[in-house]
Each structure stands twice: as structure tokens, then as C-alpha cells.
Amino acid sequence: MPQTIVIKIGTSSLTQPQTGQLALATIATLVEILSQLRQQGHQVILVSSGAVGVGCARLGLTERPKAIAQKQAVAAVGQGRLMRVYDDLFNTLQQPIAQVLLTRGDLVSRSRYVNVYHTFAELLKLGVIPVVNENDTVAVDELKFGDNDTLSALVASLVEADYLFLLTDVDRLYSADPRSFPDAQPIALVKNIEQLTQMQVKTSDRGSQWGTGGMTTKIAAARIATAAGVRTVITEGRFPHNICKILQGEPLGTQFEPQSQPNRARKRWIAYGLIPMGKLTLDKGAVTAIAQEGKSLLAAGVMAISGEFDSQEAVELCDMQGRAIARGIVNYSSAELQKILGRHSREISTILGYAAAETVVHRDNLVLNYQD
């Protein structure tokens, strides 16, 4: 049965660890596997890191730049080189590809989010393999995905993929970093990500010398993808044949089971596409109404506000201990909310001097526990 498959390969798998030069044998094998999947009728998207790492090698830099301007310049050098390699290899197998460069801003706007979806849908319909990367050349900190693990999960969520493969430099998830803890235990299946906390799994956010990700970001990516109903797999990037073996049912890598009732597309956009511009602290009654009764947030339940935001921007909803319980699109600006917090809905029009929404965040624009 044809499936939609998103494969993310990290810099640590794409490059030689000592030099940062491209690991051409690994890339060639990956290209062959993805082309085979396309020939079998599957829809395939490749999310590829490596632009900055490849740019460093091309320019003779011995370490990854830290200054944003230099990093963006190096990414511009590396992205062209990376795509040239992919295009040459895929072209040998008569497999068309397309470069898709995204920033977080492309997902923040609902209209742009939908447009990105249609672009992917059309490319896949044409039999093209989109090669996706963050647009490091123009992205600024506020609109960065932060790592391609997150980007790949958001892409998998957007296209409602069946599988997300996170190819990395270890064969699977362990209870601790096996390079530092030889007695670390392998984890083959994760039915619920919360079980990792119960198992006291120790993860690192340290990536390779040339990359940005670590196992922490991969678990965060799995959280996003599984919430969208996408089965997520962590496996070793040096052996791309594992992708086919896993699709055929072999118990390789670590598999994260998808949620049985994934969030709707609009809810996923609110949960993971939007960037919170502020926080609302709620009283106990409001937390109960939202978290347990599925109700909207009213002004009476808002105790405090932090940050500056406009109406229709995203905010985090927090309990009195500061824990984020939800994320939603707010109907008031922060300036308006300061005037009406703690007040009954019937008082709002009088206080503001004009007719206004009854709810601060309507339940249709609210997603619970987006990071739980």
C-alpha cells in the first residue's frame, strides 16, 4: 500500500566526522533507497541538514560559525553544493527532485501554511521528491525552527505522513548516551512518550561538531509527529537500507507509536506552527474549565499577563505554578486584556467602550498540553 514517508538525515550522517566533508557513499545509498521507494509508489520527502557543515568544508573552516551573519553566509555556500550533489545523484536514477527552503514564518501565517501544504501536495502528485531544509540564509532567531528534527516533524504533520524517519549517528534510542554510559539499555518501542520520563531516560541536546541536534530534539520531534498520527522511527543514518527493512516489519531502531486520535490540521497549526507572543496565568477554576471540561477561556479566569501581543496572535496559557497547560489564539491585545482581566464577560463592552468577544480564547482556537 503506497504511503507518505518523510526522511530526515542529520549532518552527522551526511558528513565525515573528522573533516566535515560529505559522506558520499552514505548519500548515494540514501538516494538509491528513496528512488526505489518512489518507484514502488510511495510519496517521499527528504529533509536534509548539512548546508552549514558543507559550507564550512568548502571554505576550509575548522569549526561551525557562531555569529548569525557568518552562519547565514556559510549556509548559502553549502546549500548550493549540497543540492548539486543530490541533483546529480538523483538525476542518475531519473528521479526528479525539488528544493524547498522554509522558515518558521512560512508556518506562522495560516495562509502561507496552507500554501506550503498545497506546494508539497503538487510536488508529490508529480512524482517529485522534495528536498527540504531550513532557509538558514535568511532565517532570524525568532523565526528559526532551531533544528531540522523539528522541521521534519512539522513537515510530516503538515502532509499527514504515515512515517517519519529520523536518521542519526546511533542505531536507536537508549536509556542514556551509550558513548558515555556503556550499560545504557536500548529502547525498541515507545507507546507513549511520557513513558520515557517514567523510565528516567537521559538524553543529550548535544549534536555533532558540525550539526545542531541531539537526542532531546529527536524526542521532541517524535512528540510533534506522533500527535499528528505519524509513526516515528529513530535509526542509524549510515545504513539507509534500514528504512526498507523497517517498512517491511523488521524491529530495527526505536519506533514511536502514533496517537490513535491525532489532532486536526488547524489544531496542529496552532500547537506547533505558531510562536507564542505572551503568557496568560489562569486561576484554578479556569484551568479546570479548559483542561477537564473543554471550555473556552474567559476574562474572569485570567490572573496575570506577560508579554506584548495583538489580537489573533498565539499565547501560552499557564497555571498558577507557571506550567503551560495549553496554547491558543487570543481575541484581545495585551493592552486590552490588562483592562479586563478578572472581569465578567458582561462588563467587557462597558470597560473597553465597544462591543467585544465574550471569550479571551475560544475553545476552537485552543490546544491542550501542546508540549505534554
Side-chain angles (χ1 to χ4, degrees):
M1 181 178 173
Q3 299 185 93
T4 300
I5 304 166
V6 177
I7 297 96
K8 182 267 177 179
I9 186 164
T11 302
S12 62
S13 301
L14 283 170
T15 57
Q16 305 286 354
Q18 297 82 10
T19 64
Q21 298 284 349
L22 285 171
L24 291 174
T26 298
I27 298 172
T29 304
L30 178 66
V31 166
E32 185 178 9
I33 294 300
L34 301 193
S35 298
Q36 286 176 6
L37 291 173
R38 265 296 311 133
Q39 290 163 11
Q40 293 166 12
H42 300 297
Q43 296 183 319
V44 178
I45 297 173
L46 174 62
V47 179
S48 176
S49 301
V52 175
V54 172
C56 287
R58 187 74 182 85
L59 296 170
L61 302 178
T62 56
E63 60 180 28
R64 188 181 180 90
K66 294 180 175 60
I68 290 178
Q70 186 182 20
K71 190 184 299 181
Q72 290 175 325
V74 170
V77 173
Q79 186 64 30
R81 169 70 177 149
L82 189 61
M83 284 306 299
R84 169 68 185 273
V85 171
Y86 277 130
D87 194 51
D88 285 348
L89 292 170
F90 275 110
N91 190 51
T92 302
L93 300 172
Q94 286 80 52
Q95 172 58 54
I97 65 172
Q99 176 176 250
V100 179
L101 297 176
L102 298 174
T103 67
R104 194 67 183 256
D106 296 318
L107 303 185
V108 170
S109 160
R110 181 65 181 167
S111 61
R112 287 163 70 184
Y113 180 91
V114 172
N115 188 54
V116 171
Y117 168 80
H118 288 307
T119 299
F120 276 119
E122 198 61 35
L123 287 170
L124 295 173
K125 190 188 301 181
L126 291 168
V128 174
I129 293 180
V131 180
V132 185
N133 197 359
E134 181 160 17
N135 195 349
D136 288 313
T137 303
V138 299
V140 294
D141 275 350
E142 310 89 77
L143 292 177
K144 284 182 72 68
F145 295 103
D147 58 83
N148 274 355
D149 295 320
T150 300
L151 172 58
S152 68
L154 291 170
V155 169
S157 171
L158 175 70
V159 302
E160 298 181 335
D162 298 287
Y163 273 91
L164 168 62
F165 286 90
L166 300 172
L167 306 186
T168 185
D169 55 358
V170 293
D171 61 339
R172 61 181 56 187
L173 176 65
Y174 286 81
S175 57
D177 188 338
R179 293 166 294 192
S180 304
F181 301 91
D183 59 346
Q185 297 299 307
I187 299 171
L189 179 65
V190 179
K191 293 187 176 182
N192 185 316
I193 290 182
E194 301 318 312
Q195 81 181 68
L196 298 179
T197 303
Q198 296 165 7
M199 294 168 63
Q200 297 183 319
V201 171
K202 302 180 182 69
T203 57
S204 170
D205 57 6
R206 176 179 59 86
S208 69
Q209 176 187 357
W210 304 104
T212 57
M215 198 55 73
T216 300
T217 64
K218 288 168 181 58
I219 292 173
R223 190 186 299 273
I224 294 171
T226 54
V230 182
R231 180 173 290 274
T232 304
V233 184
I234 294 173
T235 189
E236 194 160 9
R238 288 185 303 160
F239 305 108
H241 284 99
N242 284 352
I243 296 170
C244 295
K245 292 178 180 179
I246 291 166
L247 289 172
Q248 291 164 4
E250 289 195 33
L252 299 170
T254 298
Q255 297 198 27
F256 295 79
E257 288 192 355
Q259 286 188 14
S260 56
Q261 295 181 313
N263 291 329
R264 300 197 316 271
R266 179 175 171 80
K267 294 275 189 175
R268 295 199 301 272
W269 169 66
I270 294 171
Y272 303 114
L274 297 182
I275 299 171
M277 305 306 292
K279 292 184 179 181
L280 309 184
T281 300
L282 314 185
D283 64 25
K284 189 174 180 180
V287 170
T288 300
I290 289 170
Q292 298 179 22
E293 300 170 11
K295 294 184 177 179
S296 301
L297 174 63
L298 304 178
V302 181
M303 299 178 61
I305 301 164
S306 62
E308 293 185 9
F309 48 86
D310 293 322
S311 171
Q312 301 307 304
E313 289 191 320
V315 294
E316 284 183 337
L317 308 182
C318 303
D319 62 17
M320 290 185 289
Q321 287 72 46
R323 293 182 297 240
I325 63 161
R327 178 185 290 190
I329 299 174
V330 72
N331 288 328
Y332 294 95
S333 69
S334 51
E336 291 171 321
L337 265 179
Q338 288 288 0
K339 298 176 183 177
I340 62 172
L341 63 85
R343 307 299 287 268
H344 289 288
S345 298
R346 63 177 177 271
E347 302 177 83
I348 293 176
S349 296
T350 302
I351 294 170
L352 296 180
Y354 49 82
E358 289 186 6
T359 61
V360 172
V361 179
H362 193 275
R363 64 184 181 184
D364 291 344
N365 291 327
L366 187 152
V367 182
L368 286 175
N369 299 327
Y370 71 91
Q371 63 181 18
D372 290 344

